[in-house]
Amino acid sequence: MPQLEVSPEIDFHSETYRDAYSRINAIVIEGEQEAHENYIQLTELLPEHKDELIRLSKMEGRHKKGFEACGRNLKVTPDLDFAQKFFANLHHNFQEAAAEDRVVTCLLIQSLIIECFAIAAYNIYIPVADDFARKITEGVVKDEYTHLNFGEEWLKANFAEVKEELEAANRQNLPIVWRMLSQVEDDARTLGMEKEALVEDFMIQYGEALSNIGFTTRDIMRMSAYGISGS
Ligand code: PL3
Ligand code: FE2
Ligand code: FE2
């Protein structure tokens, strides 16, 4: 029988794999924790969506628990200090926007950028994950599409009023994403994930989101590659 392309066996228990996993696993745990907090904070800016946002924040709490179990399963201690620094820029920008009631910027950071980043990363991770982590991640990624959808729907409903702030928030935050991807590039490759695949998947998710919200193809081309060469 002809063989399908088979990726080289990954040794999930090697020192090299577990060392890289201690950072990637921490990033995902911290990302889910911050997402949990961000959706709670969004209830203050969007009180009419309070119940829905609380529901999303609870899902993020469950995602965090799932990924903590993935680390324990491989006997890896997540490097949470590293992960906090990894998210510091986006975290700062979200906090600053929340303090100034700039809900559009908050939604762009959490529901578009972070959720698209997560969807891309989880989709690329699933085929190269260990069996335990694959099952967890498959469940999580389904939820992330609903979080992305929440942001899309709200921004779409208010497109004319939010367009300008979205463009500014995109210019402020997208270059940070490219830098974050460069920072995890080596560790991600150790886990069997290529940076090019992550960038491509992110661009597809993010471009689709911008299109659903109401941007033209021309806008999307300009916005979704903003700052990529500076990475
Ligand atoms: C919000 O629901 C989730 C926020 C998590 C963001 C994760 C970004 C991950 C980038 C690191 C790439 C490797 C992913 C490996 C997956 C276990
Ligand atoms: Fe999540
Ligand atoms: Fe999410």
Side-chain angles (χ1 to χ4, degrees), residues 45-60:
L45 305 181
L46 296 171
E48 67 278 27
H49 293 287
K50 187 168 181 192
D51 293 349
E52 173 73 354
L53 288 163
I54 293 291
R55 202 173 66 83
L56 302 191
S57 88
K58 286 188 179 150
M59 292 162 100
E60 304 295 20

Side-chain angles (χ1 to χ4, degrees), residues 1-7:
M1 254 179 72
Q3 282 285 304
L4 292 171
E5 210 178 300
V6 181
S7 61

